[in-house]
Amino acid sequence: MVKKQNHILMKYYSTNKQASDATLEEAVVRGLAGDKGLYMPREIKPLPASFYDEIENLSFQEIACRVADAFFGEDVPADVLKQIVYDTLSFDAPVVKVKDNIYSLELFHGPTLAFKDVGGRFMARLLGYFIRKEGKKQVNVLVATSGDTGSAVANGFLGVEGIHVYVLYPKGKVSEIQEKQFTTLGRNITAIEVDGTFDDCQALVKNAFMDEELKAHMQLTSANSINVARFLPQAFYYFYAYAQMKKLGKADNLVICVPSGNFGNITAGLFGKRMGLPVKRFIAANNRNDIFYQYLKTGVYTPRPSIATIANAMDVGDPSNFARILDLYGGSHEAISSEISGETYTDEQIRETVQKAYEEIGYLLDPHGACGYRALAEDLKPGETGVFLETAHPAKFLQTVEAIIGTKVNIPEKLQAFMSGTKQSVPMSKDFASFKAYLMKN
Ligand SMILES: *Cc1c(COP(=O)(O)O)cnc(C)c1O
């Protein structure tokens, strides 16, 4: 009998180049590489011209299967991968015309009404598959959230056997609706309310991964966009957006604008471009936490403490995925700034944008999408068509949005269901010692 040829698994290297290569499974289970770098696939496979030729005739799920196969095809059997993709994408991501040459890619049609549902649901299913396959002991997922990650990850992982999720969030810095989405679930989800900022939450998670004693005590992984299983699947909807624009005859000179915080979302889009997706250029829209914008302007990356804004999911002072972008472009500021430009907006400008878009064109933006929309409205050149990512439903930021437009916002049923739950959280100080002591008791 001829033995079936062994699969060559995709290798993942660390952006810090000190740790040895990992398999997908190792990269997903570890989250962060041993040298604190972020994992990158050794190879980014271009998709064939024939795929792009007929992309407009394919469904979201069909497109996503092709993209998923390029990333994960060597590591996950085709039927399993297809099932994961179809289970993940149980909702649409329509492109909606907002005004001439500006379109909104609505990424808020999933269970928690933000784009993070895609990565959160995919990662939960992929990790679940690896755990079942290996008969691993319990895996503990640590996730720091500035708002939407916690809800997407918690809901994606809810009830997945063999996985416990700890959501760390900054006390008083997420909206009530966001908070309810991950503090009311119970079961395998624990919410940890940190007396600090998002950066403090992220630091606690990073420290936990570096702590040998803790790692010997429990298997830990991260569901932040540092995890390849979270950030790579976000490429799916860039391809689908292109397909929809092509169907409309609007795909030439396409500019995609991404409201950015930790830069996982836009990085997935940049991977798409590397795979041949015909996007002319990207815009990263920042709020006042404009570390990336300053980098584009000066060539110097200077992280600084985050400040609270009304686009709170973008309040990040040291975006993790910057390391991936830098690596993707060989560290070249020139290469990066030739494909990505940036914008930065104050809360006042965000408010003004939400209000004007609502009054003048009847489209209700959330504060994050507002940054994306405004950057396109200001930067688009003649002959270009823009798509911005509407990263969350405006009702997730109810008080903010209602105060801006002066009328009530309809709350989708999915969101109302969360509101009736009872908040349960574990209070935590921002120093690592107390967090570690808490985990060691579990
Ligand atoms: C997380 C989030 C962002 C920022 O995405 P990154 O991948 O961190 O850049 C933008 N908008 C909303 C609504 C979010 O939840």
Side-chain angles (χ1 to χ4, degrees), residues 32-88:
L32 201 62
D35 60 2
K36 304 192 190 192
L38 278 74
Y39 283 117
M40 293 278 278
R42 277 266 169 229
E43 212 191 327
I44 301 173
K45 291 185 211 154
L47 291 165
S50 58
F51 168 69
Y52 294 108
D53 286 346
E54 49 142 25
I55 192 168
E56 70 275 23
N57 302 320
L58 303 176
S59 70
F60 189 13
Q61 293 83 357
E62 286 166 336
I63 291 171
C65 280
R66 293 294 301 272
V67 179
D69 178 62
F71 287 136
F72 310 120
E74 286 128 9
D75 301 83
V76 184
D79 56 329
V80 175
L81 192 54
K82 183 175 175 187
Q83 191 65 49
I84 292 176
V85 167
Y86 274 75
D87 285 350
T88 298

Side-chain angles (χ1 to χ4, degrees), residues 114-116 148 259-265 313-314 366 368 391-392 397:
F115 79 88
K116 294 187 177 80
D148 292 328
S260 294
N262 230 343
F263 280 72
N265 202 2
M314 288 154 52
D366 94 288
H368 307 79
T391 45
F397 311 94

Side-chain angles (χ1 to χ4, degrees), residues 112 151 174-183 394-399 411 415-416 418-419:
T112 72
S151 45
V174 304
S175 79
E176 191 191 349
I177 290 182
Q178 286 178 320
E179 187 177 31
K180 286 270 185 177
Q181 287 184 312
F182 53 79
T183 56
K396 288 194 92 168
F397 311 94
L398 201 63
Q399 280 92 349
I411 305 179
L415 216 46
Q416 275 172 19
F418 287 110
M419 295 304 284

